[in-house]
Amino acid sequence: MIDIFMNLMGGFEAALTLTNILFIALGIALGIVIGVIPGLGSVTAIAVLVPVTYYMSPVVAIAFLVGVNKGGTSGGAVPSILLNTPGTPESAASAFDGYPMAKKGQGEKAMKFALYSSVTGDTLSDALLILLAAPFAAFALQFGPLELASVLLFAFALLSGLSSNSPLKGMIAIFVGIFLATIGLDPIDSTPRMVFDQVDLYDGLPLTALAIGALALASVLEQITSMHRYGDDHAAVADVKGDAAANHLSAREFFSHWRTIIRSAMIGSGVGMLPGLGVTLAAFLSYGAARRASKHPETFGTGNPEGIIATEAANSAVVGSNLIPTIAIGIPGNIAAALLIGAFMIHGIVPGPFMLTMHGDIIYALFASMLIANGIHLLVGKLGIRIWALIARAPRTAVLPPVILFCLVGVYLPGQSTFEVGIMLAFAVLGMLMRYTGFSIVCLVIGFLLGEMFETSLRQSLLLYKADLSAVLSSPIAVVFLALSAIILVRAGRKV
């Protein structure tokens, strides 16, 4: 504990620079703005902005993207409360009680509840990350190739069973991602595979182009198609103004709901630590738990602030805790963490159990930046409440074209490669097709990201144990994770 405290103090020394603080504030503001616009969200923002971090130092780059993630997660509550239209899927439950409060003239108070809950849940989650990252990493150092392969199979089983409506489609998407990860030089003997005499493919498919195409550009194109068919309809915007007394929220009133705050933060943190469960699940689990624990459950859905607190504290708590498996094992907790892994790798930092020993100064500076970001998030969010309400009214016809431009420029500029732009466009089309056919893009991207690690650990295991499957029984860790994988897949298969 003393070592963690001393390392964190060193992290604050590195993080408390004007440049870092300004980029954290910029990231949070950009994240909130993109989260406020229905249909976009923090994943889209991170995917588009990862290329920008090529030109930053590692600490500033990751802190900036974490700020985007924090702001984007909380920003989705604004249109949920004012428009009854969730900005992001995880903020859908905030509309249940947020919109009724806004219709009563308490829109500003509802947004304050959302902001304070988000910051509080996020802070508690960050504290768990700081306390648990090192013990998890120490445990992960006991993993050999066999154990790592079994953990990755467990992660894939969770993803396929929970990130997709169809476990079969989820598993197909994962293995398509793993197959795409095999393009390029073989990680064991460095022979080219499926490069078709294209020099650009020797390093494999570019993660940035794939992620921006499948996640951001595909989402934008889908919205443009929807607008062409049905128009850009806007719900009636509830008035964010109203009586000043009715919209006042004191610290005492907010913390009078401390049981809901702590319970929701713990639910969000628990969900975030397990790969594949997702932010949306955390929000709805927390909302349901708050309703069951309430003495007056009938008030939920009519403007009960505990409904907003439960949702926002839980979905923001995922932001910190999903970095625990990312830093300790190298397995992302969700798609935002997967994109952050890509940003780590851009700056020469390989996520996994050696991360804290080889790059401990950067990681503890990141931890300090996350805590600083929570204070900045509170300040920026509170100052901008009226501004976010105006952005929520902006038509998508004015918002989406600049996003397309950012996608194109973001992929082209780092390597000035039209080939990568072509890859992005190809995956944008693939992403749209997957959305229409019910295949999970999250499973595809995480399968691609972890594909090389899975192939390497699996092949090393086969070479080490001479393809003797009974060797699995010699590793208790492998047996446990393979058994859990089998249980998850069997239970998911019964639901089909």
Side-chain angles (χ1 to χ4, degrees):
M1 182 67 72
I2 295 175
D3 288 341
I4 292 174
F5 180 76
M6 295 302 295
N7 289 329
L8 189 59
M9 290 301 100
F12 272 107
E13 186 178 351
L16 284 170
T17 66
L18 181 61
T19 302
N20 196 40
I21 291 172
L22 288 176
F23 271 102
I24 289 172
L26 176 62
I28 288 170
L30 285 173
I32 293 175
V33 167
I34 293 177
V36 164
I37 301 167
L40 297 180
S42 58
V43 169
T44 302
I46 295 172
V48 171
L49 293 170
V50 162
V52 176
T53 65
Y54 280 109
Y55 310 103
M56 302 178 188
S57 68
V59 172
V60 173
I62 306 302
F64 169 68
L65 292 176
V66 168
V68 172
N69 195 17
K70 288 175 180 286
T73 303
S74 70
V78 175
S80 292
I81 292 168
L82 300 181
L83 299 171
N84 200 26
T85 303
T88 53
E90 62 267 20
S91 64
S94 297
F96 296 159
D97 289 281
Y99 190 62
M101 280 187 70
K103 290 180 72 176
K104 295 174 185 176
Q106 294 181 307
E108 184 174 345
K109 187 172 185 176
M111 290 169 67
K112 287 177 182 177
F113 267 116
L115 174 65
Y116 298 168
S117 304
S118 180
V119 172
T120 308
D122 208 346
T123 303
L124 292 172
S125 176
D126 290 347
L128 279 178
L129 166 65
I130 295 167
L131 292 173
L132 296 180
F136 268 62
F139 174 67
L141 285 173
Q142 302 177 33
F143 290 6
L146 180 60
E147 288 79 12
L148 184 57
S150 64
V151 170
L152 289 169
L153 279 174
F154 170 68
F156 293 151
L158 273 177
L159 280 169
S160 64
L162 298 169
S163 295
S164 174
N165 292 329
S166 167
L168 178 61
K169 287 183 176 180
M171 190 59 72
I172 290 171
I174 287 171
F175 282 103
V176 169
I178 294 172
F179 171 75
L180 293 172
T182 63
I183 296 173
L185 296 179
D186 187 299
I188 303 296
D189 56 25
S190 296
T191 55
R193 302 180 300 188
M194 294 180 289
V195 296
F196 307 107
D197 295 325
Q198 291 286 331
V199 176
D200 296 287
L201 288 176
Y202 272 63
D203 288 332
L205 292 171
L207 172 63
T208 303
L210 185 150
I212 290 178
L215 294 168
L217 192 55
S219 173
V220 172
L221 294 177
E222 183 185 33
Q223 290 185 66
I224 290 173
T225 304
S226 175
M227 287 164 52
H228 178 71
R229 290 180 178 176
Y230 309 113
D232 187 16
D233 295 329
H234 266 61
V237 182
D239 190 2
V240 73
K241 298 178 182 178
D243 183 68
N247 283 286
H248 176 70
L249 177 60
S250 65
R252 182 175 182 178
E253 181 182 357
F254 173 71
F255 284 109
S256 68
H257 303 285
W258 62 271
R259 291 184 180 84
T260 302
I261 295 168
I262 294 175
R263 179 178 56 249
S264 303
M266 292 302 103
I267 290 173
S269 298
V271 169
M273 283 189 280
L274 294 174
L277 297 187
V279 186
T280 306
L281 177 64
F284 280 93
L285 279 178
S286 181
Y287 186 87
R291 186 170 185 171
R292 287 192 299 273
S294 175
K295 295 179 180 179
H296 302 285
E298 71 280 358
T299 62
F300 279 72
T302 64
N304 189 330
E306 289 205 347
I308 301 172
I309 293 170
T311 303
E312 295 303 315
N315 64 31
S316 291
V318 174
V319 175
S321 63
N322 65 22
L323 290 180
I324 295 175
T326 304
I327 291 173
I329 312 174
I331 297 176
N334 60 15
I335 193 64
L339 294 173
L340 288 175
I341 283 184
F344 277 123
M345 295 172 69
I346 286 170
H347 291 278
I349 304 169
V350 179
F354 292 102
M355 202 175 184
L356 280 169
T357 54
M358 296 179 66
H359 306 285
D361 54 338
I362 295 175
I363 300 307
Y364 278 99
L366 168 62
F367 292 164
S369 297
M370 293 174 74
L371 294 175
I372 294 168
N374 293 330
I376 296 174
H377 187 183
L378 181 63
L379 180 63
V380 171
K382 192 169 182 179
L383 291 175
I385 282 180
R386 300 286 174 88
I387 299 172
W388 316 140
L390 293 175
I391 294 171
R393 306 181 190 199
R396 285 185 292 175
T397 50
V399 172
L400 297 181
V403 176
I404 295 175
L405 180 62
F406 279 125
C407 290
L408 293 169
V409 172
V411 169
Y412 176 76
L413 276 184
Q416 297 186 0
S417 170
T418 55
F419 179 81
E420 293 193 13
V421 173
I423 294 291
M424 178 192 68
L425 295 174
F427 276 97
V429 174
L430 178 62
M432 286 188 67
L433 292 174
M434 291 180 71
R435 289 171 185 270
Y436 289 135
T437 54
F439 286 89
S440 172
I441 299 174
V442 173
C443 289
L444 173 76
V445 174
I446 294 184
F448 174 78
L449 184 68
L450 299 179
E452 183 177 348
M453 187 190 302
F454 176 67
E455 180 193 2
T456 302
S457 59
L458 181 61
R459 289 174 64 181
Q460 287 175 342
S461 301
L462 292 172
L463 290 170
L464 185 63
Y465 297 104
K466 299 178 181 179
D468 181 9
L469 296 179
S470 64
V472 173
L473 300 175
S474 65
S475 171
I477 294 174
V479 169
V480 169
F481 279 104
L482 289 174
L484 288 173
S485 303
I487 292 169
I488 289 168
L489 290 175
V490 168
R491 291 189 65 181
R494 287 179 177 175
K495 297 178 182 179
V496 178

